């Protein structure tokens, strides 16, 4: 797992232009290598009480997202889960959002593709954040994120 420092300035469009994905994204905190075995990935996602985890290659590039629902068939723990790398199971893959993309365009893309979470990657392909419809909606409407208010 890797935590990335993140500074978010959510709110409506600035005088310099429309709201961007970089302003609307949340940190991409939970990550695992694609060589991690499925049973260990199930443990990590449950221990973190997360809905998803980012898969990354050995060089740090983002390869996709595995959602909790995609791990449901593997919860029963068999010899198969102990010997199967997480990268070998079905997971959400790119293309990924970019920080400079407009938040409105990202929202439209997520709706069109039926996505509940979308990784945001930098030029090198490394995950720098995540988008959800909720974080985008909050940023586009300028409403405060309830988690930010509690901090």
């Amino acid at each position: 797992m890797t935590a990335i420092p993140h500074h978010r300035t959510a709110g409506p469009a600035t005088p310099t232009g429309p709201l961007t994905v970089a302003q609307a994204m949340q940190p991409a905190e939970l990550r695992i290598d694609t060589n991690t075995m499925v049973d260990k990935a199930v443990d990590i996602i449950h221990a973190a009480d997360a809905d998803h985890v980012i898969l990354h290659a050995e060089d740090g590039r983002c390869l996709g997202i595995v959602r909790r629902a995609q791990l449901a068939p593997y919860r029963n723990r068999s010899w198969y889960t102990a010997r199967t790398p997480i990268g070998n199971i079905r997971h959400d893959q790119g293309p990924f959002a970019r920080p400079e993309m407009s938040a409105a365009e990202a929202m439209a893309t997520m709706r069109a593709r039926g996505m509940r979470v979308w990784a945001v990657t930098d030029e090198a392909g490394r995950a720098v954040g995540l988008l959800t419809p909720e974080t985008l909606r909050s940023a586009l409407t300028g409403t405060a994120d309830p988690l930010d208010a509690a901090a």
Side-chain angles (χ1 to χ4, degrees):
M1 291 186 283
T2 306
I4 296 179
H6 177 75
H7 304 285
R8 184 170 92 176
T9 55
T14 64
T16 59
L19 186 73
T20 64
V21 165
Q23 295 167 302
M25 68 185 184
Q26 62 189 38
E29 295 175 343
L30 193 58
R31 304 170 188 217
I32 58 173
D33 187 89
T34 56
N35 295 324
T36 303
M37 296 301 139
V38 171
D39 62 339
K40 181 71 171 172
V42 169
D43 290 343
I44 290 169
I45 231 171
H46 286 306
D49 194 27
D51 292 324
H52 52 270
V53 62
I54 291 180
L55 297 181
H56 66 85
E58 289 179 11
D59 64 0
R61 286 178 303 109
C62 177
L63 298 177
I65 296 176
V66 173
R67 291 175 286 116
R68 182 184 287 249
Q70 291 168 313
L71 292 175
Y74 304 97
R75 286 190 196 137
N76 289 337
R77 308 277 178 166
S78 68
W79 64 268
Y80 180 77
T81 63
R83 296 183 180 156
T84 303
I86 191 76
N88 289 359
I89 70 166
R90 183 176 167 261
H91 60 276
D92 302 336
Q93 299 177 356
F96 305 114
R98 299 300 300 252
E100 63 275 3
M101 175 187 273
S102 81
E105 180 185 354
M107 178 66 98
T109 301
M110 289 183 76
R111 279 187 187 146
R113 295 183 184 167
M115 300 166 75
R116 298 293 306 146
V117 63
W118 197 13
V120 181
T121 60
D122 63 13
E123 304 81 35
R126 290 176 175 79
V128 294
L130 289 171
L131 290 174
T132 64
E134 295 78 20
T135 59
L136 279 168
R137 221 177 349 267
S138 174
L140 287 168
T141 61
T143 57
D145 185 345
L147 295 177
D148 288 342

